Amino acid sequence: MPVRPRYMESSRRPPRRRRRGRTLRPRAPRRRRSVLPFVVLAVVVAGGVAAAVLILTHQSRVRAERSVVDRFARAWERRDYRAMYGQLDAATRRRVSEPAFARAYRRAGATATIAALRTSKANRRGGSWSLPVSVRTQAFGTLRGRVTLPVHGDPPRIAWTAPLVFPGLRRGERLRRIVQAPRRAPLVARDGQPLADRDGFPSALGSQLGIVGTLGRPSGAQLGALTAAGFPSDTLVGTSGLERTLDAQLRGRAGGRLLAGRRVLASTRAVPSPPVHASIDPHLQSAASSALGGKFGGVAVVEPGTGEILALSGIALDGLQPPGSTFKIMTLTGSLEAGIVNLRSTFPVQTGANVEGRFVANANHESCGGDLTESFAKSCNSVFAPMGVRLGARRLVNVAERFGFNSPPVPGVATAKESTLPNAASVAKAAETGVTAFGQGRVLATPLQMAWVGSTIADGGQRPRLTLLHGGQPHLVRVTTPRVAALVKRLMLAVVNGSGATGTAAAISGVQVAGKTGTAELGGGQPNDAWFVAFAPAGAPKLAVGVLVVHGGFGGDTAAPIAHDVLTAGLGR
């Protein structure tokens, strides 16, 4: 019988081999590692990168689309139709020209009487963007809605359609309106006396004052303003006088319906204005007209501190003429501010002065000079032309503009002409600056403007916003310091009350009157224009007056007596 190995009898484990005192087991076969986890990981990483790329691409696309929508929206707010058109796709541009595109938006704006438009942040919905729009209109209040802007292409652009001209408009609908005007408001004077009824017919007082004006059919800019406010084009409007000046207040607010096809987007009712209180004082208006008489010129009366226009006679609103030496009020103001002169300053007595080779003569070639008060009271061109040169064109123009030159005098009143002087660069030469300093050259002013200048000094250097409405909140702008205004007032008192002064004809017994004469040379053999600016009582001014008599000669002879009569009537003297 064969003999089995002993290890098979005693154990199933293989025998251990000993090497140098240690027992060794036989090596197990080496297992092969699986590559599947690595393959899975690679796929996951690759998929994540692809997803990340897609996300980044999508985000980039969204940003590009939003940029297009934002540019379109900002341009719409500015009514910059060219910039809006620049955000449209090629297909839209082939279909709609830029002029036709702009006309569509202008037509919608006119129909809806849009005054202002604002947009908010757009939201992306699929391939389009929903843009919130708020539209403030003159006739229908504020409307809010959305427009949907389809955006596509690379780079992204807007696929425009006609309904996008107004929020809430649908395909195939046309924006239109049905409007009506309320009955016109009656016009009353400052003291409540009737001047014109609801149909524009003047009362007996209104006819007597000759300032009410008439009604008629609108045309030109007036027609454009009327329809833009939502009124029917056949609405009667003021064509002259206060009826025209205060037309916007007298006609009230139009009403009607704004339609998208047959759908009503908005509706309002016509609202008439309550009686409109003009700032005109009937007593002063009558006094101004009587004082001017048959002379060709203008008289304006302003209440210092409020800017209410109390009287307007003749060409007070639109009679632009060189203001002559009344402009020296502003030259003096600027020179006192700059420290060029003070009350102790003295000047040579002479008949004129050479300014850059040009001889500037005093009125009638009289000799004058002395201290600052006497030089102003006698209106010495020989003093103020060189003073203007020292002040300089830039500061001279600046001070005049602070007093209201180169600005509309009465907001919203187109018939009130703007008084002007050239910019500093145009009068930079010494001779030009010199003649500008005493109201000649290319300086033009109305009687209303010079009454405005007088009221500014009267109120301590505060320029009021002029108005033809009574009872509003005054709006004042600081023009110069109270100290400088007080010094100018002091010198204006000397014009009326000083010995040998030019404005003594405006003096009123028992009342301190401050004033300034002006005599403007027109050239060409024409008689001079006569000017006078005054306010009273100087201690607590109630009235400021500007007077112009065209071809009237000397201001102290012709214009000052008119100012005297108006101030006397207004102060109850």
Side-chain angles (χ1 to χ4, degrees):
M1 181 175 181
V3 178
R4 295 180 178 179
R6 291 178 63 183
Y7 71 84
M8 295 182 65
E9 296 177 353
S10 61
S11 175
R12 292 182 180 179
R13 295 179 180 177
R16 295 181 179 180
R17 291 178 295 173
R18 294 181 181 274
R19 182 185 297 176
R20 298 179 183 177
R22 291 190 305 174
T23 303
L24 299 178
R25 291 181 179 176
R27 291 183 178 179
R30 181 176 295 175
R31 294 181 180 178
R32 296 182 62 186
R33 294 183 179 178
S34 173
V35 299
L36 182 59
F38 298 99
V39 172
V40 172
L41 179 61
V43 170
V44 170
V45 170
V49 170
V53 170
L54 287 174
I55 291 171
L56 291 174
T57 301
H58 176 73
Q59 291 176 341
S60 177
R61 172 72 188 187
V62 170
R63 284 194 298 269
E65 288 185 4
R66 181 177 293 280
S67 179
V68 169
V69 172
D70 286 347
R71 287 196 296 269
F72 185 89
R74 298 291 88 76
W76 195 2
E77 292 179 345
R78 302 190 307 269
R79 303 187 190 188
D80 184 351
Y81 304 124
R82 171 170 291 185
M84 292 171 68
Y85 190 78
Q87 309 310 312
L88 307 186
D89 64 8
T92 301
R93 291 185 181 210
R94 287 192 296 270
R95 179 170 48 85
V96 181
S97 68
E98 184 180 331
F101 175 83
R103 279 196 303 271
Y105 277 92
R106 290 193 183 100
R107 190 181 301 115
T111 301
T113 68
I114 294 178
L117 182 145
R118 292 289 178 267
T119 61
S120 302
K121 186 177 180 180
N123 298 313
R124 194 172 191 266
R125 295 179 179 177
S128 300
W129 288 77
S130 178
L131 178 67
V133 181
S134 174
V135 182
R136 181 168 59 83
T137 72
Q138 295 192 58
F140 306 104
T142 298
L143 310 180
R144 294 177 176 84
R146 290 176 176 270
V147 295
T148 300
L149 302 174
V151 181
H152 67 101
D154 190 14
R157 287 293 182 266
I158 296 169
W160 184 86
T161 55
L164 295 179
V165 297
F166 197 81
L169 201 59
R170 298 171 184 169
R171 185 178 296 275
E173 291 181 332
R174 183 172 62 88
L175 196 67
R176 59 193 181 93
R177 72 186 188 194
I178 300 173
V179 290
Q180 61 183 24
R183 194 173 181 189
R184 196 171 179 85
L187 178 65
V188 299
R190 178 186 177 91
D191 59 4
Q193 295 188 72
L195 296 177
D197 64 17
R198 288 185 177 275
D199 296 314
F201 291 112
S203 65
L205 176 63
S207 298
Q208 177 188 338
L209 296 179
I211 196 174
V212 170
T214 57
L215 301 184
R217 299 291 182 185
S219 61
Q222 198 173 18
L223 176 60
L226 184 75
T227 56
F231 284 80
S233 59
D234 60 352
T235 303
L236 292 180
V237 297
T239 55
S240 63
L242 289 175
E243 289 285 359
R244 179 173 182 179
T245 300
L246 300 176
D247 186 68
Q249 291 79 17
L250 289 163
R251 67 183 181 225
R253 191 178 73 226
R257 291 176 295 162
L258 182 64
L259 304 170
R262 295 183 178 181
R263 294 185 303 116
V264 177
L265 295 181
S267 64
T268 57
R269 63 184 183 87
V271 180
S273 290
V276 174
H277 285 253
S279 60
I280 296 297
D281 182 308
H283 180 61
L284 267 173
Q285 179 64 34
S286 181
S289 298
S290 297
L292 187 60
K295 302 179 183 69
F296 181 51
V299 178
V301 185
V302 172
E303 184 177 58
T306 68
E308 291 192 13
I309 300 170
L310 306 179
L312 291 170
S313 182
I315 57 172
L317 273 179
D318 57 3
L320 287 167
Q321 294 290 106
S325 292
T326 57
F327 191 87
K328 289 174 183 173
I329 295 172
M330 285 158 283
T331 304
L332 175 62
T333 298
S335 298
L336 288 168
E337 289 174 340
I340 293 171
V341 296
N342 56 51
L343 294 181
R344 297 184 301 277
S345 299
T346 58
F347 308 92
V349 177
Q350 52 192 8
T351 60
N354 282 297
V355 179
E356 201 182 46
R358 177 176 178 175
F359 184 74
V360 176
N362 293 324
N364 287 331
H365 296 277
E366 66 175 334
S367 295
C368 70
D371 63 18
L372 182 62
T373 302
E374 185 178 6
S375 298
F376 187 78
K378 294 184 175 180
S379 200
C380 302
N381 294 341
S382 58
V383 172
F384 278 84
M387 188 187 299
V389 173
R390 289 184 63 192
L391 181 61
R394 182 181 59 80
R395 289 187 293 194
L396 182 62
V397 171
N398 174 266
V399 70
E401 289 182 338
R402 280 186 271 142
F403 274 88
F405 276 75
N406 294 337
S407 298
V410 190
V413 179
T415 52
K417 298 299 182 183
E418 184 176 307
S419 297
T420 61
L421 79 164
N423 60 40
S426 300
V427 291
K429 292 183 178 179
E432 294 170 330
T433 307
V435 297
T436 300
F438 58 91
Q440 294 280 177
R442 290 175 284 168
V443 185
L444 295 173
T446 64
L448 178 61
Q449 172 65 53
M450 298 317 298
W452 199 14
V453 170
S455 73
T456 300
I457 295 299
D459 197 38
Q462 295 185 111
R463 188 190 77 226
R465 180 169 57 195
L466 296 179
T467 179
L468 276 160
L469 292 170
H470 174 55
Q473 181 66 35
H475 179 79
L476 303 170
V477 175
R478 171 63 60 187
V479 167
T480 189
T481 65
R483 174 185 169 277
V484 169
L487 291 173
V488 175
K489 179 190 294 188
R490 178 173 174 176
L491 269 64
M492 290 179 70
L493 282 166
V495 170
V496 177
N497 304 290
S499 176
T502 56
T504 55
I508 300 173
S509 177
V511 178
Q512 281 193 315
V513 178
K516 182 68 190 80
T517 54
T519 302
E521 297 180 1
L522 303 179
Q526 299 181 76
N528 299 331
D529 283 351
W531 284 87
F532 197 74
V533 175
F535 58 84
K542 295 180 179 178
L543 305 173
V545 182
V547 179
L548 161 67
V549 180
V550 177
H551 298 166
F554 292 97
D557 296 338
T558 309
I562 294 174
H564 167 275
D565 291 350
V566 173
L567 290 173
T568 299
L571 297 174
R573 296 281 172 161

